[in-house]
């Protein structure tokens, strides 16, 4: 089975709503309710380059970037991979 199957993307969506939506927004556009309080705007995940690797996204999730916390201490098992797959799906289906 592929790492980025539909079940992984669905799990990632749930994790996104739980952990990421407040800053990145419901649609991943970087406009969540906490975004205005941050001095660095959260990334618009829908405009990530299509060729951005899953590995790069995974590292950003695990290690954090700017105001974004390091999530490796909070996510368990394959949760970071599931989140990566959901974020990749967001960027690839964006119009």
């Amino acid at each position: 089975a592929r790492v980025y199957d539909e079940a992984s993307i669905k799990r990632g969506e749930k994790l996104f709503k739980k952990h990421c939506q407040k800053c990145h927004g419901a649609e991943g556009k970087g406009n969540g309710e906490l975004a205005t309080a941050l001095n660095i705007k959260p990334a618009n995940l829908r405009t990530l380059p299509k060729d951005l690797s899953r590995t790069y996204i995974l590292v950003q999730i695990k290690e954090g970037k700017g105001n974004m916390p390091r999530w490796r201490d909070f996510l368990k098992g394959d949760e970071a991979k599931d989140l990566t797959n959901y974020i990749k799906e967001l960027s690839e289906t964006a119009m």
Side-chain angles (χ1 to χ4, degrees), residues 8-54:
S8 173
I9 293 167
K10 290 272 188 231
R11 290 190 303 268
E13 183 177 14
K14 287 180 185 166
L15 289 164
F16 183 87
K17 287 178 180 176
K18 180 178 178 184
H19 299 299
C20 314
Q21 186 170 304
K22 281 194 164 94
C23 292
H24 288 283
E27 296 178 8
K29 293 182 179 178
N31 60 352
E33 61 189 73
L34 299 180
T36 54
L38 301 172
N39 60 3
I40 298 173
K41 189 172 177 358
N44 180 339
L45 303 173
R46 299 188 73 87
T47 60
L48 293 176
K50 303 276 187 249
D51 60 350
L52 197 64
S53 74
R54 280 178 162 59

Side-chain angles (χ1 to χ4, degrees), residues 53-94:
S53 74
R54 280 178 162 59
T55 301
Y56 180 86
I57 296 169
L58 182 67
V59 169
Q60 298 305 308
I61 291 169
K62 286 184 171 184
E63 299 305 319
K65 185 174 185 179
N67 285 346
M68 190 176 113
R70 181 172 58 201
W71 285 96
R72 72 173 182 209
D73 301 330
F74 303 100
L75 300 173
K76 297 170 180 43
D78 284 338
E79 287 181 337
K81 286 182 184 174
D82 292 340
L83 252 178
T84 297
N85 293 331
Y86 177 68
I87 291 167
K88 192 72 172 154
E89 184 78 4
L90 273 180
S91 68
E92 289 179 354
T93 58

